[in-house]
Short mmCIF file of all heavy atoms in Angstrom, two decimals:
data_model
loop_
_atom_site.label_atom_id
_atom_site.label_comp_id
_atom_site.label_asym_id
_atom_site.label_seq_id
_atom_site.Cartn_x
_atom_site.Cartn_y
_atom_site.Cartn_z
N ASN L 1 -12.61 13.44 13.82
CA ASN L 1 -12.41 12.48 12.78
C ASN L 1 -11.27 12.92 11.84
O ASN L 1 -11.44 13.90 11.07
CB ASN L 1 -13.66 12.25 12.00
CG ASN L 1 -13.69 10.97 11.28
OD1 ASN L 1 -12.82 10.18 11.39
ND2 ASN L 1 -14.75 10.66 10.56
N VAL L 2 -10.10 12.24 11.88
CA VAL L 2 -8.94 12.66 11.12
C VAL L 2 -8.62 11.55 10.13
O VAL L 2 -8.79 10.31 10.30
CB VAL L 2 -7.76 12.92 12.00
CG1 VAL L 2 -8.07 14.17 12.87
CG2 VAL L 2 -7.40 11.83 12.79
N ARG L 3 -7.97 11.98 8.99
CA ARG L 3 -7.58 11.01 7.94
C ARG L 3 -6.22 11.37 7.36
O ARG L 3 -5.96 12.62 7.15
CB ARG L 3 -8.60 11.00 6.82
CG ARG L 3 -8.40 9.81 5.78
CD ARG L 3 -9.61 9.68 4.82
NE ARG L 3 -9.48 8.61 4.04
CZ ARG L 3 -10.30 8.29 3.01
NH1 ARG L 3 -11.37 9.02 2.79
NH2 ARG L 3 -10.10 7.22 2.27
N PRO L 4 -5.35 10.49 7.18
CA PRO L 4 -4.01 10.74 6.58
C PRO L 4 -4.01 10.71 5.05
O PRO L 4 -4.73 9.95 4.43
CB PRO L 4 -3.16 9.68 7.16
CG PRO L 4 -4.16 8.48 7.25
CD PRO L 4 -5.49 9.09 7.57
N PHE L 5 -3.26 11.63 4.45
CA PHE L 5 -3.05 11.73 3.00
C PHE L 5 -1.67 11.80 2.68
O PHE L 5 -0.82 12.41 3.46
CB PHE L 5 -3.78 12.91 2.36
CG PHE L 5 -5.33 12.83 2.45
CD1 PHE L 5 -6.00 13.16 3.58
CD2 PHE L 5 -6.05 12.31 1.39
CE1 PHE L 5 -7.37 13.15 3.68
CE2 PHE L 5 -7.35 12.29 1.43
CZ PHE L 5 -8.04 12.65 2.54
N ALA L 6 -1.22 11.25 1.56
CA ALA L 6 0.10 11.60 0.93
C ALA L 6 -0.14 12.78 0.09
O ALA L 6 -1.17 12.96 -0.60
CB ALA L 6 0.64 10.47 0.17
N VAL L 7 0.85 13.75 -0.03
CA VAL L 7 0.68 14.88 -0.88
C VAL L 7 1.81 14.96 -1.92
O VAL L 7 2.98 14.65 -1.60
CB VAL L 7 0.69 16.17 -0.05
CG1 VAL L 7 1.92 16.26 0.81
CG2 VAL L 7 0.48 17.43 -0.90
N ASP L 8 1.41 15.34 -3.13
CA ASP L 8 2.34 15.58 -4.23
C ASP L 8 2.69 17.02 -4.19
O ASP L 8 1.77 17.80 -4.61
CB ASP L 8 1.81 15.09 -5.53
CG ASP L 8 2.79 15.18 -6.68
OD1 ASP L 8 3.72 15.96 -6.56
OD2 ASP L 8 2.69 14.53 -7.67
N ARG L 9 3.84 17.46 -3.87
CA ARG L 9 4.14 18.95 -3.74
C ARG L 9 4.19 19.60 -5.08
O ARG L 9 3.97 20.86 -5.20
CB ARG L 9 5.43 19.13 -3.08
CG ARG L 9 5.48 18.71 -1.65
CD ARG L 9 4.66 19.54 -0.71
NE ARG L 9 5.34 20.81 -0.52
CZ ARG L 9 4.92 21.76 0.27
NH1 ARG L 9 3.72 21.68 0.90
NH2 ARG L 9 5.55 22.96 0.50
N THR L 10 4.33 18.86 -6.13
CA THR L 10 4.40 19.53 -7.42
C THR L 10 3.05 19.80 -8.03
O THR L 10 2.77 20.77 -8.68
CB THR L 10 5.17 18.64 -8.49
OG1 THR L 10 4.53 17.34 -8.58
CG2 THR L 10 6.62 18.45 -8.01
N THR L 11 2.12 18.84 -7.74
CA THR L 11 0.72 19.10 -8.23
C THR L 11 -0.26 19.52 -7.20
O THR L 11 -1.36 19.92 -7.51
CB THR L 11 0.27 17.89 -8.92
OG1 THR L 11 0.13 16.79 -8.00
CG2 THR L 11 1.24 17.36 -10.04
N GLY L 12 0.07 19.27 -5.98
CA GLY L 12 -0.86 19.57 -4.86
C GLY L 12 -1.93 18.52 -4.63
O GLY L 12 -2.78 18.62 -3.86
N SER L 13 -1.79 17.42 -5.36
CA SER L 13 -2.82 16.32 -5.27
C SER L 13 -2.61 15.50 -4.06
O SER L 13 -1.43 15.38 -3.53
CB SER L 13 -2.73 15.41 -6.51
OG SER L 13 -1.47 14.81 -6.59
N ARG L 14 -3.77 14.94 -3.46
CA ARG L 14 -3.66 14.10 -2.27
C ARG L 14 -4.00 12.72 -2.69
O ARG L 14 -4.87 12.42 -3.51
CB ARG L 14 -4.58 14.63 -1.24
CG ARG L 14 -4.37 16.11 -0.84
CD ARG L 14 -5.46 16.45 0.21
NE ARG L 14 -5.40 17.90 0.57
CZ ARG L 14 -6.21 18.46 1.45
NH1 ARG L 14 -7.16 17.77 2.02
NH2 ARG L 14 -6.07 19.80 1.72
N THR L 15 -3.45 11.72 -1.90
CA THR L 15 -3.79 10.42 -1.98
C THR L 15 -3.96 9.83 -0.59
O THR L 15 -3.15 9.95 0.27
CB THR L 15 -2.67 9.61 -2.68
OG1 THR L 15 -2.48 10.15 -3.94
CG2 THR L 15 -3.09 8.07 -2.82
N ALA L 16 -5.12 9.22 -0.38
CA ALA L 16 -5.56 8.63 0.91
C ALA L 16 -4.52 7.50 1.17
O ALA L 16 -4.30 6.68 0.33
CB ALA L 16 -6.89 8.23 1.00
N ILE L 17 -3.92 7.51 2.46
CA ILE L 17 -2.95 6.48 2.75
C ILE L 17 -3.39 5.65 3.94
O ILE L 17 -2.52 4.93 4.59
CB ILE L 17 -1.56 7.09 2.91
CG1 ILE L 17 -1.62 8.18 3.96
CG2 ILE L 17 -1.01 7.59 1.61
CD1 ILE L 17 -0.20 8.70 4.32
N GLY L 18 -4.63 5.89 4.36
CA GLY L 18 -5.09 5.12 5.51
C GLY L 18 -6.52 5.54 5.87
O GLY L 18 -7.01 6.54 5.30
N ALA L 19 -7.24 4.73 6.60
CA ALA L 19 -8.62 4.99 6.93
C ALA L 19 -8.67 6.08 7.99
O ALA L 19 -7.74 6.36 8.79
CB ALA L 19 -9.21 3.72 7.48
N ALA L 20 -9.80 6.80 8.02
CA ALA L 20 -10.04 7.80 9.00
C ALA L 20 -10.18 7.16 10.42
O ALA L 20 -10.70 6.06 10.49
CB ALA L 20 -11.31 8.60 8.68
N GLN L 21 -9.71 7.90 11.45
CA GLN L 21 -9.84 7.45 12.77
C GLN L 21 -10.35 8.61 13.65
O GLN L 21 -10.12 9.77 13.40
CB GLN L 21 -8.56 6.97 13.31
CG GLN L 21 -8.02 5.59 12.63
CD GLN L 21 -8.74 4.45 13.01
OE1 GLN L 21 -9.50 4.44 14.03
NE2 GLN L 21 -8.73 3.35 12.21
N VAL L 22 -11.00 8.30 14.74
CA VAL L 22 -11.51 9.35 15.69
C VAL L 22 -10.55 9.43 16.89
O VAL L 22 -10.19 8.40 17.43
CB VAL L 22 -12.96 9.05 16.11
CG1 VAL L 22 -13.52 10.02 17.05
CG2 VAL L 22 -13.89 9.00 14.91
N THR L 23 -10.28 10.62 17.25
CA THR L 23 -9.42 10.83 18.46
C THR L 23 -10.17 10.32 19.69
O THR L 23 -11.32 10.39 19.84
CB THR L 23 -9.04 12.26 18.69
OG1 THR L 23 -10.23 13.11 18.81
CG2 THR L 23 -8.19 12.87 17.55
N ASP L 24 -9.34 9.81 20.64
CA ASP L 24 -9.92 9.26 21.83
C ASP L 24 -10.30 10.35 22.89
O ASP L 24 -10.15 11.62 22.50
CB ASP L 24 -9.01 8.18 22.54
CG ASP L 24 -7.62 8.80 22.99
OD1 ASP L 24 -7.63 10.02 23.10
OD2 ASP L 24 -6.75 8.02 23.25
N GLY L 25 -10.76 10.02 24.04
CA GLY L 25 -11.08 11.04 25.02
C GLY L 25 -9.94 11.95 25.47
O GLY L 25 -10.20 13.01 26.03
N ALA L 26 -8.74 11.55 25.18
CA ALA L 26 -7.55 12.42 25.49
C ALA L 26 -6.97 13.09 24.24
O ALA L 26 -5.91 13.71 24.26
CB ALA L 26 -6.42 11.52 26.13
N GLY L 27 -7.76 13.17 23.18
CA GLY L 27 -7.27 13.78 21.97
C GLY L 27 -6.29 13.08 21.11
O GLY L 27 -5.79 13.64 20.16
N ARG L 28 -5.96 11.90 21.45
CA ARG L 28 -4.95 11.11 20.78
C ARG L 28 -5.47 10.25 19.68
O ARG L 28 -6.71 9.80 19.78
CB ARG L 28 -4.15 10.16 21.76
CG ARG L 28 -3.48 11.06 22.78
CD ARG L 28 -2.51 10.11 23.70
NE ARG L 28 -1.94 10.93 24.72
CZ ARG L 28 -0.84 11.63 24.64
NH1 ARG L 28 -0.27 11.69 23.37
NH2 ARG L 28 -0.38 12.35 25.55
N VAL L 29 -4.73 10.02 18.65
CA VAL L 29 -5.09 9.12 17.56
C VAL L 29 -3.88 8.45 16.95
O VAL L 29 -2.85 8.98 16.87
CB VAL L 29 -5.88 9.89 16.42
CG1 VAL L 29 -4.94 10.92 15.73
CG2 VAL L 29 -6.49 8.93 15.35
N ASP L 30 -3.98 7.12 16.67
CA ASP L 30 -2.94 6.32 16.08
C ASP L 30 -3.62 5.85 14.71
O ASP L 30 -4.52 5.22 14.66
CB ASP L 30 -2.54 5.17 16.86
CG ASP L 30 -1.82 5.55 18.09
OD1 ASP L 30 -1.35 6.66 18.24
OD2 ASP L 30 -1.59 4.67 18.95
N LEU L 31 -2.96 6.27 13.60
CA LEU L 31 -3.35 5.95 12.27
C LEU L 31 -2.43 4.88 11.65
O LEU L 31 -1.21 5.04 11.66
CB LEU L 31 -3.38 7.21 11.41
CG LEU L 31 -4.31 8.30 11.85
CD1 LEU L 31 -4.04 9.63 11.24
CD2 LEU L 31 -5.78 7.97 11.68
N ASP L 32 -3.06 3.89 11.05
CA ASP L 32 -2.25 2.84 10.31
C ASP L 32 -1.99 3.35 8.89
O ASP L 32 -2.87 3.70 8.13
CB ASP L 32 -3.05 1.51 10.27
CG ASP L 32 -3.22 0.92 11.65
OD1 ASP L 32 -2.30 0.98 12.44
OD2 ASP L 32 -4.33 0.35 11.91
N ILE L 33 -0.67 3.53 8.63
CA ILE L 33 -0.25 4.05 7.31
C ILE L 33 0.42 2.95 6.49
O ILE L 33 1.23 2.14 6.96
CB ILE L 33 0.69 5.24 7.59
CG1 ILE L 33 0.11 6.29 8.49
CG2 ILE L 33 1.17 5.82 6.18
CD1 ILE L 33 -1.14 6.92 7.88
N THR L 34 0.18 3.00 5.17
CA THR L 34 0.89 2.10 4.27
C THR L 34 2.07 2.92 3.66
O THR L 34 1.87 3.81 2.91
CB THR L 34 -0.06 1.59 3.14
OG1 THR L 34 -1.09 0.96 3.71
CG2 THR L 34 0.66 0.65 2.22
N GLY L 35 3.33 2.48 3.99
CA GLY L 35 4.36 3.23 3.58
C GLY L 35 4.66 3.31 2.13
O GLY L 35 5.06 4.43 1.61
#
């Protein structure tokens, strides 16, 4: 179960930028990101 975050390098804070998704049987995952 993986989830994408945006990171602020100055503060180290994270912001979720998409929902968590589970890798398929081949270990692949496609995450929908809001640019």
Side-chain angles (χ1 to χ4, degrees):
N1 200 1
V2 295
R3 188 172 187 181
F5 290 86
V7 59
D8 185 336
R9 294 288 287 182
T10 59
T11 64
S13 62
R14 301 178 186 178
T15 303
I17 54 175
Q21 295 286 341
V22 177
T23 57
D24 63 16
R28 299 186 182 278
V29 64
D30 288 349
L31 299 165
D32 294 324
I33 305 298
T34 303

